[in-house]
Amino acid sequence: MKDGVIDVPAVHLGFLPRKNRDNADAPEFPYIIVRPAIGIDNDDCKVTVHLLFGSMADDDQGFLDMFNQMERVRIALLKQEVIERRFRMELPYKWEFPPEQPEPYTIGLVTTIWTLPAVQKEEGLL
């Protein structure tokens, strides 16, 4: 947060992007990494997705800034619940702050479970 304004985190799929000439000046923090972790197919398909939050602060407000970002995402996801009419978020919605925090960075983790559309079975493909 600078001058009372919370920075909008960059959202990345999987991992932080590698630094190169095109993004050398882009700030690394704050960020949210969306990372699929576990998928299970039974009668339906469930996918566990981790949201990894990272921020950096030069004051004692870093923890609070991170919590506010995580809370905004939590509220948005719980309000929407279904994304693109296909992906349904299931409860529980779990968040945590690992006890070891590498100052001046703050790390947060959200674990979500999503139901994906069912695969339609077809006969005679194999």
Side-chain angles (χ1 to χ4, degrees):
M1 180 181 336
K2 292 178 184 162
D3 301 322
V5 176
I6 295 178
D7 295 327
V8 176
V11 178
H12 305 286
L13 183 58
F15 298 89
L16 288 173
R18 293 181 184 184
K19 285 290 188 184
N20 59 42
R21 201 174 2 173
D22 296 330
N23 67 8
D25 295 331
E28 290 185 72
F29 297 95
Y31 64 76
I32 302 171
I33 299 172
V34 180
R35 186 178 296 164
I38 300 169
I40 300 173
D41 280 295
N42 284 316
D43 294 335
D44 56 7
C45 179
K46 303 274 189 203
V47 175
T48 300
V49 177
H50 294 299
L51 306 176
L52 297 107
F53 289 73
S55 71
M56 182 177 78
D58 53 4
D59 59 21
D60 292 334
Q61 295 298 312
F63 174 80
L64 223 53
D65 294 344
M66 172 67 66
F67 183 77
N68 285 331
Q69 288 177 352
M70 291 175 70
E71 183 63 4
R72 288 173 189 214
V73 169
R74 184 186 75 83
I75 290 168
L77 287 174
L78 290 174
K79 277 183 177 180
Q80 183 133 3
E81 198 173 281
V82 176
I83 296 178
E84 295 182 5
R85 296 183 178 186
R86 298 186 301 168
F87 308 107
R88 174 178 296 281
M89 188 179 74
E90 307 292 339
L91 295 177
Y93 180 97
K94 180 182 170 189
W95 61 267
E96 63 182 292
F97 286 98
E100 300 297 321
Q101 294 288 332
E103 287 195 37
Y105 309 104
T106 305
I107 306 298
L109 173 66
V110 168
T111 301
T112 60
I113 300 170
W114 296 83
T115 298
L116 277 58
V119 174
Q120 300 300 317
K121 296 185 191 267
E122 296 181 14
E123 299 293 325
L125 289 179
L126 297 175

